[in-house]
Amino acid sequence: MAKKNIKLRAKLKNGIVTVKAIFKHPMETGLRKDKVTGLKVPAHHITETTCHRKDDLLLSSQWGPGVSKNPFISFTLKGIDKGEMLTIAYVDNKGKTESLDVKVK
Amino acid sequence: MKRRIFLKGSLLSGLISFAAGSSLLLPLKLLANWNKEAFQATDMKTANAALGDTTAAIESDRVFLDVKDIAENAAVVPVKVSTDLENAESIRIYVENNPNPLIATFKLSQYTDNFVFIRTKMRETSNVIAMVEADGQLYMAKKQIKVTAGGCGG
């Protein structure tokens, strides 16, 4: 399988799970110009990300092009036990999707 | 006879790949459509209207916005937003002077603990605004962040 463009950690401490994820993505805004050709680099950015536990949607977010390159996101969850599987998925404006599972540590 | 077997085989493998494909796509099924209008809006009012809000946001000290006063690298500005408002439904992050001010929206659930962290890009010195929607009302926190162009610290 091809190498994943997502890195994901989920750690339980004092009843709260901290999820940290990095997506490898260029996050082009569509406004930047190519230095050589002088043409605008077409927009290519993540539009939506979700975090699931099986069928439960825990967090969903929509992003504009203003999110930094190789986006890092972190958030906290409650009511999640050790060893449960969390799934993070993203879709970008070109329709590419990817997802990754991780066990809560 | 061989043709029959071939047909059966290809049908079966087709079914399997279809099943594999659909199960891979399963976690994304719940994704709502990306709100293009809101994210491509060039000012905050339009963005807010596109997100379905007519009332103005109230400044509140229960929305916590944690950003450094000076952004040394405008391409990577870490923004932390948290709130102790109960029934918080969503969190939005704006950079007022960006070409598209709306950076991100987060839809919370009963499992989230009202905290998000994300890194944004900033074009120039601007207000960073965090909004939290709770009980149909928008609450916000605002902070001006200085962008030091050229890395000369200023």
Side-chain angles (χ1 to χ4, degrees), chain A residues 27 48 58 60 64 68 74 78, chain B residues 32 75 103 107 109 111 117 121:
Chain A
M27 298 300 283
E48 286 168 63
L58 307 180
S60 72
S68 301
S74 173
K78 57 195 173 189
Chain B
I103 302 297
K107 209 164 168 23
S109 71
Y111 297 103
F117 176 112
K121 288 183 264 203

Side-chain angles (χ1 to χ4, degrees), chain A residues 20-70:
Chain A
K20 292 176 180 174
I22 289 184
F23 307 90
K24 206 177 155 208
H25 205 282
M27 298 300 283
E28 285 293 348
T29 58
L31 301 167
R32 199 172 64 89
K33 276 181 181 159
D34 191 305
K35 274 181 189 152
V36 184
T37 59
L39 295 170
K40 279 189 176 175
V41 180
H44 184 204
H45 60 88
I46 294 175
T47 54
E48 286 168 63
T49 57
T50 54
C51 178
H52 279 85
R53 180 185 69 180
K54 284 178 192 157
D55 289 335
D56 300 333
L57 181 61
L58 307 180
L59 179 89
S60 72
S61 64
Q62 300 197 358
W63 295 0
V67 177
S68 301
K69 185 179 172 183
N70 297 335

Side-chain angles (χ1 to χ4, degrees), chain A residues 2-17:
Chain A
K3 210 184 160 199
K4 291 270 186 183
N5 292 322
I6 310 176
K7 275 187 182 175
L8 180 60
R9 298 270 182 285
K11 203 163 189 184
L12 181 76
K13 202 180 177 187
N14 302 330
I16 286 172
V17 176

Side-chain angles (χ1 to χ4, degrees), chain B residues 111-146:
Chain B
Y111 297 103
T112 47
D113 196 43
N114 299 346
F115 166 84
V116 290
F117 176 112
I118 199 162
R119 298 194 293 212
T120 78
K121 288 183 264 203
M122 288 176 73
R123 183 171 65 169
E124 59 195 29
T125 299
S126 162
N127 285 329
V128 172
I129 295 165
M131 283 190 194
V132 174
E133 191 185 0
D135 298 317
Q137 175 65 49
L138 280 174
Y139 300 90
M140 66 176 231
K142 193 156 95 172
K143 194 172 177 187
Q144 196 186 40
I145 310 301
K146 218 172 182 179

Side-chain angles (χ1 to χ4, degrees), chain A residues 86-97:
Chain A
L86 298 179
T87 307
I88 267 210
Y90 77 82
V91 54
D92 70 17
N93 65 334
K94 291 185 178 173
K96 193 189 169 202
T97 69

